[in-house]
Amino acid sequence: MKYKLFLFDLDDTLLDFKASERLSFFLALKSLGIQSDLENLFSQYQVINSSLWKLFEEAKTTKEHLKVERFRKVFEANGIEVDPNKASQRYLDTLPETVVLMDHAVEVCEWLKGHGEIGIITNGIQTVQHQRIKNSLIAPYISFISVSDECGFAKPDVRFFEYTAKKVTNFNKLSSIIVGDREEADIQGAHNFGIDSCWFNPHQKVSTVSVAPTYEIKHLSEFKTKLGY
């Protein structure tokens, strides 16, 4: 096999973050006495959260600000008098307990572990991401985790990938590949760093970046075939 190092994005690539996010959001708000209109609140939260993460990846806000601001904005827009700091902490405490795997994640990781090394590359929150992986069935197959919190830079910044490469013995760009669902962070990041990429695109989105992935898959089960196996 050409590749010996497989760098996987975590959320919505190996773990179904959308499912976990919804469960955790509902549990956090219910624990604070917010029982009604949760679907609408969650829809607003998703939009706000997405825009804040984009700002973070552009180095225009901090993760500490993001964690609380997303709840503050939702509460302010709906006249909810609950401390957003408490909501943020409840949500983050709950997230590691609501792990949902993407289809075929375990079998793909098990197969790849027999052919090389698997690393996780994520812009998520360090303590949360480590705990979510620990609580999942993919944990035995993961060699290392690289989180933006740890190095101070987020995907697609090339410095994030340089930091990640230092975690690997005898790192070689020619035998490494990034697999992820987000073009802006994962595919653009791979291009910036000069390594191959695989766009996990289950919803068949139209590309919005100028660089093309080396491969594109709709299901994780297709990964073996794309690599020629």
Side-chain angles (χ1 to χ4, degrees), residues 55-102:
L55 289 175
F56 170 73
E57 289 167 2
E58 295 171 351
K60 294 178 180 177
T61 190
T62 66
K63 200 166 290 184
E64 289 305 313
H65 179 259
L66 176 157
K67 288 190 290 187
V68 177
E69 182 67 5
R70 53 193 178 180
F71 286 96
R72 189 196 67 77
K73 284 191 170 185
V74 171
F75 293 167
E76 182 181 60
N78 292 275
I80 297 172
E81 295 184 359
V82 171
D83 184 352
N85 289 279
K86 284 187 178 180
S88 174
Q89 193 57 55
R90 294 283 177 89
Y91 170 77
L92 294 176
D93 288 345
T94 305
L95 199 55
E97 309 304 323
T98 59
V99 174
V100 180
L101 287 164
M102 299 295 285

Side-chain angles (χ1 to χ4, degrees), residues 10-200:
L10 187 63
D11 292 320
D12 294 322
T13 299
L14 291 177
L15 299 187
D16 188 340
F17 182 72
K18 291 182 177 64
S20 297
E21 179 185 42
R22 184 178 184 277
L23 286 169
S24 298
F25 183 87
F26 278 43
L27 288 169
L29 265 60
K30 285 179 179 178
S31 75
L32 293 169
I34 304 171
Q35 302 287 339
S36 60
D37 204 25
L38 292 177
E39 288 288 359
N40 180 47
L41 293 175
F42 181 60
S43 294
Q44 294 178 47
Y45 169 87
Q46 285 183 298
V47 173
I48 293 167
N49 188 47
S50 179
S51 65
L52 285 169
W53 275 107
K54 183 171 178 57
L55 289 175
F56 170 73
E57 289 167 2
E58 295 171 351
K60 294 178 180 177
T61 190
T62 66
K63 200 166 290 184
E64 289 305 313
H65 179 259
L66 176 157
K67 288 190 290 187
V68 177
E69 182 67 5
R70 53 193 178 180
F71 286 96
R72 189 196 67 77
K73 284 191 170 185
V74 171
F75 293 167
E76 182 181 60
N78 292 275
I80 297 172
E81 295 184 359
V82 171
D83 184 352
N85 289 279
K86 284 187 178 180
S88 174
Q89 193 57 55
R90 294 283 177 89
Y91 170 77
L92 294 176
D93 288 345
T94 305
L95 199 55
E97 309 304 323
T98 59
V99 174
V100 180
L101 287 164
M102 299 295 285
D103 291 342
H104 306 290
V106 175
E107 67 182 70
V108 167
C109 287
E110 182 178 20
W111 181 75
L112 289 176
K113 186 67 173 178
H115 294 277
E117 188 174 12
I118 302 172
I120 297 297
I121 52 171
T122 173
N123 282 350
I125 296 165
Q126 181 180 351
T127 54
V128 174
Q129 299 297 63
H130 278 271
Q131 192 61 44
R132 290 173 70 223
I133 293 169
K134 183 180 178 181
N135 290 348
S136 75
L137 294 175
I138 64 171
Y141 310 111
I142 307 304
S143 296
F144 65 88
I145 305 166
S146 189
V147 189
S148 57
D149 271 359
E150 299 169 340
C151 69
F153 304 102
K155 298 182 292 182
D157 194 312
V158 71
R159 288 170 292 186
F160 174 87
F161 298 101
E162 290 170 346
Y163 169 82
T164 300
K166 292 175 183 177
K167 291 176 174 280
V168 184
T169 303
N170 299 320
F171 174 77
N172 185 341
K173 289 186 178 183
L174 295 178
S175 60
S176 303
I177 185 170
I178 287 174
V179 186
D181 69 302
R182 294 193 57 224
E183 282 190 294
E184 300 89 344
D186 302 311
I187 307 309
Q188 185 68 55
H191 174 78
N192 293 350
F193 193 48
I195 65 176
D196 286 354
S197 63
C198 179
W199 184 22
F200 176 51

